[in-house]
């Protein structure tokens, strides 16, 4: 009884009311030094009985019964355990059936196909990223460069025998590669424990366990630490939208629908064969928000990308009429999920200054990145799925037909500042028969690579943060296969080696030039120059920085999306001045044909397209060119 009384009732109250932010300090398995025992706590309010079973007691359900406490929590104290011991909860459920369940709050788990939880302490690692975290807390992510390298740890590189590298083994090579290529962030596909490799981590059974595929929790701490010491931020994909039906997981946890809804119209996602969380249950709110908090506090991560937000906020997501239950107002918005997302973002972004949250949200639901006090959901960024879809449709077109679909290029600017966007070209675009990025491009071999360079140039100049999936940076020609490592041997071939060099230079250019990242959220940082030239499939625009020492940095981006060299091509300019070519995707060192725009160019006073000046140049084929624009001293700064 003295042991049970040691459980803090305030912690139980917070958990039961949905206000816990660190529920992992109460729940799960913890060593209690003053008792020299491990304490186990599990939420199973409708269970008839619960026992801790494991290798330490021969999986005997009678050896270590748990005592029912307040708030639907069962607890037990067991001496003599050590890190690595395996265990589960044997639950006699409300339905009278016996269920062997993994610990929802376990910090470490067995490697698949085994499914038990492991006793594990998270202490003992000495972090070396204090300076990085101090700098992060003072940063403003919205107005800093953000170029994300998305990767799947199990297929970035593999050992010669096909085995996965550990977190520790990957840390230094990945940090050096990402640093060399000029990316500012890495984004890891889900690393929480999952039983099925083919889910890529998106069907989670151990929300608090980093997957044992790549090592221990301390190994993952080392991984994050090394990237931080190299100035690289670490984002992690998070899946609070659904969970799998696996027996050891959350489904029917205590013989009832505890984490999910009882009604299958509310509790199941038939498209994926998974279960949906019941966000209206306070304990589920505590479980998920504490899970997010846990990764920031214990692993020092810099952001969470929240998967499948549309499936959370719409009750009828991928469901026919009759397959879902409308909300209390008769609508299809999931009111409880919306409240959860607001609470999640408010909690994380106020608790960890400088970190970010990113929504993968595929609809036009409004105000995803606006603060909750203004009626928004509070995310820092949202993936721009519209830009991705439009641009890929455009780039797949025959060059002759591009002029009939010019709006694919320009429509994104109709809504570009309605949210804080990430222009993401992720793993989803290079699987399931969609072709690789380079193979999506129209034309012969040379045109495919030239088109991809032109597209990447347009992408990096367009307002919004950037994301490329691994392999896209050197134009892997086949689709991503999660069972194999990337085709690194392609870098021995000029077309792939020069593409890699081009992406490296783009990243360097992006970080060096404030005009490309300081104002991503308003027309103050963008101005169309040539927008409607559909017949030539050419666009040009101006990017502007904030004033610094009385000067505004101005970069012109010009893209010719056809293989035709455009001689004597005129673009509109906001005033007279000089244009100096800074980066040309058609340069020979990137695999291009070597057409230049004419070196230093003079914008004269000839009005064009409603602007007071213009410049004549040569537009290279299938190419993007960046220029610095230096206005004459008597010219006013470009107005939006």
């Amino acid at each position: 009884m003295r042991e049970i009384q040691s459980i803090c009732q305030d912690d139980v109250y917070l958990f039961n009311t949905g206000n816990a932010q660190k529920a992992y300090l109460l729940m799960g398995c913890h060593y209690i030094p003053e008792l020299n025992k491990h304490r186990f706590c599990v939420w199973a309010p409708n269970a008839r009985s619960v026992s801790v079973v494991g290798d330490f007691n021969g999986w005997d359900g009678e050896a270590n019964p748990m005592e029912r406490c307040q708030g639907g929590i069962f607890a037990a104290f067991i001496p003599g355990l050590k890190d690595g011991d395996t265990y589960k909860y044997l639950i006699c459920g409300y339905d009278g059936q016996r269920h062997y369940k993994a610990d929802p709050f376990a910090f470490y788990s067995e490697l698949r196909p085994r499914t038990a939880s492991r006793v594990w302490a998270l202490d003992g690692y000495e972090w070396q990223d204090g300076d990085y975290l101090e700098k992060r807390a003072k940063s403003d992510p919205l107005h800093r460069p953000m170029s994300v390298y998305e990767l799947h740890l199990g297929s970035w590189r593999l050992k010669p025998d096909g085995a996965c590298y550990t977190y520790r083994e990957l840390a230094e090579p990945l940090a050096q590669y990402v640093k060399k290529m000029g990316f500012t962030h890495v984004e890891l596909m889900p690393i929480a424990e999952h039983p099925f490799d083919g889910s890529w981590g998106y069907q989670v059974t151990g929300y608090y366990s980093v997957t044992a595929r790549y090592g221990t929790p301390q190994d993952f701490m080392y991984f994050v630490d090394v990237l931080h010491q190299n100035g690289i931020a670490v984002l992690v994909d998070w899946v609070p939208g659904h969970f799998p039906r696996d027996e050891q997981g959350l489904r029917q946890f205590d013989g009832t629908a505890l984490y999910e809804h009882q009604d299958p119209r509310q509790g199941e996602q038939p498209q994926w064969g998974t279960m949906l969380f019941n966000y209206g249950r306070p304990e589920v709110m505590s479980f998920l928000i504490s899970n997010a908090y846990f990764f920031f506090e214990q692993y020092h991560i810099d952001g969470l990308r929240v998967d499948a937000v549309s499936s959370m906020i719409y009750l009828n997501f991928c469901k026919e009429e009759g397959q879902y239950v409308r909300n209390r107002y008769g609508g299809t918005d999931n009111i409880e999920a919306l409240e959860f997302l607001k609470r999640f973002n408010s909690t994380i972004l106020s608790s960890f200054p400088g970190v970010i949250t990113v929504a993968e949200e595929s609809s036009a639901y409004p105000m995803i990145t606006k603060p909750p006090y203004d009626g928004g959901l509070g995310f820092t960024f949202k993936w721009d799925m519209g830009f991705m879809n439009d641009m890929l449709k455009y780039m797949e077109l025959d060059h002759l037909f591009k002029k009939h679909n010019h709006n694919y290029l320009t429509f994104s600017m109709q809504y570009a500042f309605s949210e804080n966007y990430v222009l993401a070209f992720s793993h989803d675009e290079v699987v399931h028969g969609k072709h690789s990025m380079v193979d999506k491009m129209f034309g012969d071999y040379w045109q495919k690579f030239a088109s991809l360079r032109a597209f990447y140039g347009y992408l990096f100049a367009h307002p919004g943060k950037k994301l490329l999936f691994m392999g896209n940076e050197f134009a892997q020609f086949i689709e991503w296969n999660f069972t194999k490592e990337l085709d690194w041997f392609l870098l021995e071939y000029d077309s792939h080696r020069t593409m890699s060099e081009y992406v490296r230079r783009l990243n360097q250019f992006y970080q060096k030039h404030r005009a490309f990242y300081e104002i991503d959220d308003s027309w103050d940082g963008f101005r169309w120059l040539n927008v409607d030239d559909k017949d030539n499939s050419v666009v040009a625009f101006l990017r502007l920085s904030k004033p610094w020492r009385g000067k505004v940095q101005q970069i012109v981006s010009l893209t010719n999306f056809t293989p035709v060299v455009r001689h004597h091509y005129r673009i509109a300019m906001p005033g007279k001045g000089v244009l100096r070519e800074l980066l040309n995707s058609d340069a020979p060192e990137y695999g291009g044909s070597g057409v230049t725009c004419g070196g230093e160019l003079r914008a004269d006073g000839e009005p064009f397209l409603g602007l007071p000046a213009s410049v004549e140049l040569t537009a290279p084929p299938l190419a993007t060119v960046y220029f610095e624009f230096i206005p004459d001293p008597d010219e006013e700064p470009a107005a939006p």
Side-chain angles (χ1 to χ4, degrees):
M1 181 61 68
R2 181 177 66 88
E3 294 169 341
I4 297 299
Q5 289 175 344
S6 71
I7 296 175
C8 179
Q9 295 307 304
D10 288 344
D11 290 341
V12 175
Y13 174 80
L14 290 173
F15 179 74
N16 287 152
T17 57
N19 292 304
Q21 297 179 0
K22 300 183 182 184
Y24 50 88
L25 298 180
L26 165 69
M27 309 297 288
C29 174
H30 296 270
Y31 177 65
I32 310 299
E34 56 268 27
L35 300 175
N36 195 26
K37 295 180 181 180
H38 279 80
R39 184 189 70 204
F40 293 81
C41 286
V42 64
W43 178 55
N46 303 305
R48 298 184 181 183
S49 65
V50 184
S51 297
V52 183
V53 295
D55 52 5
F56 51 84
N57 64 12
W59 300 90
D60 179 1
E62 303 296 324
N64 296 107
M66 303 184 79
E67 184 174 338
R68 186 185 294 272
C69 306
Q70 293 181 353
I73 292 173
F74 284 79
F77 292 78
I78 303 176
L81 302 184
K82 63 183 184 302
D83 279 3
D85 285 345
T86 58
Y87 72 98
K88 284 186 177 180
Y89 297 117
L90 175 56
I91 298 176
C92 180
Y94 182 82
D95 55 2
Q97 301 297 311
R98 286 157 59 95
H99 306 271
Y100 287 89
K101 292 291 186 178
D103 187 348
F105 285 86
F107 297 149
Y108 194 37
S109 303
E110 285 188 301
L111 179 63
R112 51 94 175 94
R114 303 181 70 85
T115 58
S117 303
R118 288 190 181 276
V119 174
W120 202 267
L122 294 180
D123 54 10
Y125 183 77
E126 296 185 7
W127 288 89
Q128 305 295 320
D129 64 348
D131 291 343
Y132 174 91
L133 295 181
E134 183 178 351
K135 182 178 179 181
R136 184 185 75 182
K138 300 175 182 177
S139 68
D140 178 5
L142 291 174
H143 303 107
R144 295 292 302 159
M146 179 176 165
S147 180
V148 183
Y149 186 63
E150 184 197 25
L151 73 151
H152 176 258
L153 286 176
S155 56
W156 184 65
R157 285 190 183 275
L158 294 174
K159 295 179 180 180
D161 63 357
C164 295
Y165 286 103
T166 67
Y167 299 116
R168 285 183 181 269
E169 292 169 333
L170 283 168
E172 193 63 39
L174 179 63
Q176 293 307 314
Y177 179 76
V178 171
K179 193 173 181 180
K180 168 192 162 188
M181 290 300 298
F183 291 97
T184 61
H185 297 60
V186 296
E187 181 177 314
L188 308 180
M189 293 170 69
I191 56 164
E193 196 56 79
H194 53 283
F196 178 44
D197 289 1
S199 77
W200 310 333
Y202 290 99
Q203 295 192 8
V204 179
T205 52
Y207 274 82
Y208 287 80
S209 295
V210 294
T211 178
R213 288 167 175 80
Y214 317 120
T216 69
Q218 283 77 7
D219 292 336
F220 184 61
M221 293 175 189
Y222 176 85
F223 174 90
V224 175
D225 204 0
V226 168
L227 267 73
H228 281 178
Q229 291 175 56
N230 283 275
I232 300 161
V234 180
L235 312 179
V236 174
D237 278 11
W238 188 46
V239 192
H242 64 118
F243 58 90
R245 307 169 69 92
D246 296 64
E247 171 60 24
Q248 78 275 14
L250 300 178
R251 179 176 178 268
Q252 293 286 309
F253 189 79
D254 63 356
T256 68
L258 194 61
Y259 288 88
E260 71 274 24
H261 285 273
Q262 180 67 37
D263 188 333
R265 295 175 300 168
Q266 297 172 285
E268 297 184 10
Q269 179 50 263
Q271 182 191 40
W272 300 327
T274 54
M275 311 305 296
L276 300 174
F277 281 105
N278 181 354
Y279 304 104
R281 178 161 282 169
E283 294 88 350
V284 173
M285 180 85 79
S286 289
F287 173 78
L288 289 172
I289 288 182
S290 293
N291 182 233
Y293 200 105
F294 171 78
F295 273 89
F296 286 98
E297 181 172 72
Q298 297 296 324
Y299 292 115
H300 293 198
I301 66 167
D302 302 282
L304 287 174
R305 175 266 198 185
V306 183
D307 180 61
V309 170
S310 297
S311 73
M312 300 170 67
I313 63 179
Y314 293 111
L315 295 166
N316 62 339
F317 180 82
C318 291
K319 293 182 178 181
E320 302 293 334
E321 195 68 41
Q323 292 183 324
Y324 62 94
V325 177
R326 292 180 177 271
N327 65 35
R328 58 182 176 269
Y329 302 112
T332 57
D333 290 354
N334 189 331
I335 296 171
E336 292 80 12
L338 294 170
E339 177 59 27
F340 160 70
L341 290 171
K342 293 175 184 178
R343 290 269 299 276
F344 152 69
N345 283 307
S346 297
T347 298
I348 296 304
L349 297 179
S350 62
S351 300
F352 302 95
V355 306
I356 65 173
T357 59
V358 185
E360 188 230 2
E361 203 285 305
S362 56
S363 77
Y365 193 91
M367 303 180 71
I368 296 288
T369 59
K370 305 305 178 186
Y373 57 74
D374 279 342
L377 295 189
F379 284 94
T380 318
F381 296 106
K382 170 185 172 175
W383 277 16
D384 191 342
M385 311 297 278
F387 177 84
M388 177 273 294
N389 282 306
D390 285 352
M391 287 304 304
L392 292 183
K393 288 177 184 176
Y394 184 79
M395 299 307 297
E396 291 169 359
L397 290 170
D398 186 312
H399 305 306
L400 295 174
F401 302 141
K402 283 183 164 66
K403 63 183 177 182
H404 302 301
N405 295 275
H406 195 72
N407 61 304
Y408 283 152
L409 274 181
T410 59
F411 181 70
S412 60
M413 291 308 301
Q414 298 294 318
Y415 62 85
F417 310 126
S418 62
E419 303 279 5
N420 302 320
Y421 283 114
V422 176
L423 310 181
F425 291 83
S426 72
H427 64 277
D428 278 330
E429 315 321 320
V430 293
V431 290
H432 302 321
K434 296 178 185 176
H435 300 270
S436 67
M437 286 295 291
V438 69
D439 201 25
K440 293 177 192 289
M441 304 295 114
F442 178 80
D444 59 26
Y445 190 82
W446 185 89
Q447 289 183 2
K448 284 180 177 292
F449 279 83
S451 292
L452 188 61
R453 290 193 302 271
F455 165 64
Y456 282 168
Y458 183 78
L459 165 68
F460 271 76
H462 192 285
K465 309 309 181 186
K466 327 299 174 188
L467 181 146
L468 292 179
F469 183 57
M470 65 180 194
N472 289 349
E473 77 277 16
F474 61 81
Q476 175 155 315
F477 220 97
I478 63 172
E479 290 186 343
W480 169 56
N481 183 340
F482 73 93
T483 67
K484 300 178 180 179
E485 74 170 12
L486 297 180
D487 290 339
W488 294 104
F489 68 88
L490 291 175
L491 290 171
E492 299 173 12
Y493 298 89
D494 287 345
S495 54
H496 298 275
R497 178 184 53 77
T498 54
M499 180 66 74
S500 174
E501 175 61 18
Y502 175 63
V503 171
R504 186 179 74 86
R505 291 290 301 277
L506 277 178
N507 272 322
Q508 290 177 340
F509 189 96
Y510 172 62
Q511 293 187 56
K512 182 179 179 181
H513 291 86
R514 297 177 295 112
F516 270 19
Y517 63 77
E518 277 192 339
I519 311 177
D520 272 336
D521 55 0
S522 82
W523 287 101
D524 292 343
F526 181 93
R527 181 168 188 173
W528 282 116
L529 301 177
N530 290 37
V531 60
D532 293 324
D533 188 6
K534 61 183 181 180
D535 291 335
N536 291 306
S537 299
V538 177
V539 291
F541 54 81
L542 184 69
R543 293 300 308 275
L544 303 98
S545 72
K546 297 178 180 179
W548 188 68
R549 294 182 178 177
K551 294 184 178 180
V552 173
Q553 186 181 75
Q554 302 185 53
I555 304 294
V556 172
S557 175
L558 167 76
T559 306
N560 177 6
F561 286 99
T562 71
V564 179
V565 179
R566 305 293 180 186
H567 296 286
H568 308 294
Y569 189 81
R570 186 165 291 275
I571 62 173
M573 295 299 296
K576 293 184 288 184
V578 172
L579 278 79
R580 293 174 180 161
E581 183 178 309
L582 299 178
L583 184 65
N584 184 342
S585 72
D586 196 46
E589 59 262 40
Y590 309 132
S593 63
V595 175
T596 67
C597 295
E600 187 169 290
L601 304 169
R602 177 76 191 168
D604 57 31
E606 181 178 340
F608 189 59
L609 300 178
L611 293 180
S614 60
V615 62
E616 188 177 274
L617 48 75
T618 299
L622 293 173
T624 292
V625 187
Y626 298 154
F627 306 87
E628 181 184 17
F629 175 52
I630 306 172
D632 287 350
D634 57 343
E635 291 289 324
E636 294 292 328

